[in-house]
Amino acid sequence: MIATQIRQKDALFYFASYSSEQLLTKVRFISRYYDEEGGGIQAEPVDATDDVAQFISKIERSDKAFQRQVGKAKVAAIRNFYETAVTQPPIPGVVLLFTPQKLHFRAWEDGSGVGQLQEPEDKFLIIDGQHRLAALQFYARTHPDDAKNISVPCVIFDGQTEDFATEMFVIINSTPTRINKSHLVDLYERVSWAEPDRRFAAHIAEMLYSSGDSPLRYRINRLGGRSKQEKWILQAELFNEIHRWVKTAWKKIEAEGTDKRAAGKYYEVVRDFLKAAAQVWGDAWGNTGSMVTKPVTLKAMLRVCADLAAVDAEPGDDRVARWTARLAPWTEQAREFRNEGFYERFPAKGQVERVARIHRELNRLAGITGRGKGER
């Protein structure tokens, strides 16, 4: 195919145009899509060794109900635009495609950068544009003649590592209307621009989400307001508190090690603290009528965890029992954390001030001196 080679610093990629008929046979959808008439696009299987496809698939399909509801509505809206657009170009923005295969490019001799680009042997992975192309496929089913007249501008990345493609996905999609902040926490390990302290905190947040012994397992919300299940805290909020601790203790962490094993030690501290907290709060823990496991209190408790760990993290063998005894005064305060009248009992100008106030109160009850440095 004819393409233009584009160089930006050390990066080489290509710009090309495909007819809709051609392009829809050359890409693979890794999420299932529906239209308003009940038609569907079956998601293609994702190979376990394909890190990029695995990652994008997780983002697109992190909750089946979420994907079916929101994906369907988004595709329908784009398809409707294709049907009503007359003078406006239906697809003015480029679709980003990726192939791990290194494609051969033979430039023309006029120095324009235009030339012949090899077609990949396998289908392209769509880094950005799955919804637009899904809508185009549905549109082509009902308006085949009109669809034939649509050419799609494409940017093609080839021969790069999986991490490169993942990072491109992040850069393109990291806006409030695309990937939410909770999803971005999952990406810190994969992208080159993530600071090491953020990666370390992300490891801890991931373990709190996925580890079988985590008191927050199944309770961390990665889907923002779209979650269909009862969650206690947004992953982004949880990460911010963990990162607050990690950042202030970073010199100590660097000296001890910053790999996943080191992050696991900090995870164990948070895990044990939450287990102790669950015991002292009793019936209020996880109770929908209580504010104990709502974000405002959980964030305050994580700050208490950092303060307590600074003076009493070791030994770890009896940490849960030791900290349960230390936090025992909280039991008598459970009534103060019931939903009714909570904001009057803890008045503040906003959540930031309220979290700080609850943090101070919980520390006072447990006799913990808040250092604000989060060091163990």
Side-chain angles (χ1 to χ4, degrees):
M1 60 176 159
I2 297 175
T4 301
Q5 187 181 67
I6 300 172
R7 180 185 296 275
Q8 294 182 359
K9 293 189 175 180
D10 294 332
L12 281 176
F13 53 96
Y14 304 92
F15 176 81
S17 174
Y18 272 110
S19 70
S20 61
E21 282 186 303
Q22 284 184 307
L23 183 57
L24 291 174
T25 65
K26 296 180 182 296
V27 296
R28 57 190 178 117
F29 293 93
I30 57 175
S31 296
R32 186 171 183 176
Y33 292 96
Y34 304 83
D35 71 353
E36 65 273 20
E37 297 175 0
I41 299 174
Q42 181 65 47
E44 295 190 23
V46 177
D47 192 293
T49 62
D50 190 336
D51 289 344
V52 184
Q54 286 281 350
F55 173 75
I56 297 177
S57 176
K58 184 178 76 169
I59 294 295
E60 294 279 358
R61 294 183 292 170
S62 49
D63 185 296
K64 291 181 180 178
F66 160 74
Q67 174 57 35
R68 291 187 180 188
Q69 178 183 356
V70 178
K72 178 178 178 179
K74 186 172 182 178
V75 168
I78 298 172
R79 179 187 175 188
N80 180 66
F81 176 68
Y82 293 164
E83 293 174 337
T84 57
V86 180
T87 57
Q88 314 99 313
I91 310 178
V94 295
V95 170
L96 271 61
L97 307 176
F98 170 78
T99 175
Q101 180 183 347
K102 181 62 180 175
L103 303 179
H104 176 70
F105 179 74
R106 186 174 70 252
W108 295 349
E109 295 180 356
D110 60 0
S112 64
V114 179
Q116 290 289 133
L117 181 66
Q118 173 192 359
E119 297 272 7
E121 296 174 3
D122 296 321
K123 290 183 177 181
F124 287 111
L125 180 67
I126 307 167
I127 295 180
D128 185 57
Q130 280 209 86
H131 283 87
R132 281 173 285 165
L133 295 187
L136 182 61
Q137 185 169 120
F138 290 127
Y139 179 66
R141 293 178 185 179
T142 55
H143 301 75
D145 293 335
D146 292 335
K148 287 180 181 178
N149 294 322
I150 295 178
S151 295
V152 182
C154 302
V155 166
I156 298 169
F157 297 94
D158 73 313
Q160 299 286 349
T161 65
E162 288 83 358
D163 282 351
F164 169 85
T166 304
E167 187 161 346
M168 284 300 304
F169 181 82
V170 177
I171 293 169
I172 296 300
N173 287 280
S174 57
T175 68
T177 58
R178 308 296 283 278
I179 300 179
N180 64 42
K181 292 181 180 179
S182 284
H183 282 317
L184 289 176
V185 174
D186 299 327
L187 308 177
Y188 285 130
E189 182 182 0
R190 299 294 302 275
V191 296
S192 61
W193 42 259
E195 299 92 335
D197 54 316
R198 288 185 176 273
R199 292 184 184 178
F200 191 86
H203 288 323
I204 301 171
E206 167 60 27
M207 285 183 274
L208 286 167
Y209 179 87
S210 61
S211 296
D213 59 355
S214 170
L216 295 184
R217 194 182 190 195
Y218 305 127
R219 299 299 185 183
I220 299 172
N221 189 345
R222 280 175 163 169
L223 296 176
R226 302 184 181 95
S227 176
K228 302 297 181 180
Q229 301 175 0
E230 181 187 347
K231 307 293 184 180
W232 292 350
I233 189 169
L234 288 170
Q235 182 171 253
E237 294 179 294
L238 174 69
F239 169 81
N240 286 341
E241 290 303 323
I242 298 296
H243 182 240
R244 182 178 186 269
W245 175 14
V246 167
K247 191 173 182 179
T248 55
W250 189 242
K251 288 184 179 180
K252 179 177 174 60
I253 292 170
E254 277 192 308
E256 296 176 342
T258 61
D259 59 9
K260 287 187 177 181
R261 178 179 295 183
K265 294 180 180 179
Y266 277 75
Y267 159 73
E268 291 170 359
V269 171
V270 181
R271 176 201 65 194
D272 290 351
F273 175 86
L274 293 172
K275 286 183 176 181
Q279 291 188 38
V280 300
W281 286 118
D283 292 341
W285 185 263
N287 190 321
T288 57
S290 172
M291 295 294 291
V292 165
T293 48
K294 299 293 175 62
V296 66
T297 310
L298 282 173
K299 289 192 284 187
M301 284 193 286
L302 288 170
R303 296 183 188 185
V304 174
C305 174
D307 295 335
L308 184 54
V311 295
D312 191 26
E314 303 299 338
D317 292 343
D318 66 340
R319 190 161 48 212
V320 175
R322 196 169 70 246
W323 284 4
T324 298
R326 186 70 177 266
L327 304 179
W330 291 2
T331 303
E332 299 176 359
Q333 299 299 311
R335 184 173 174 79
E336 295 297 303
F337 284 81
R338 67 190 187 279
N339 289 350
E340 184 180 354
F342 174 80
Y343 293 102
E344 288 73 27
R345 289 189 292 276
F346 295 94
K349 294 178 181 180
Q351 180 151 319
V352 172
E353 182 179 315
R354 187 170 287 110
V355 170
R357 178 169 184 165
I358 296 170
H359 171 210
R360 291 193 299 270
E361 177 63 11
L362 292 177
N363 265 357
R364 183 190 67 80
L365 291 167
I368 301 168
T369 300
R371 296 185 178 186
K373 295 183 179 181
E375 294 183 355
R376 289 168 58 195

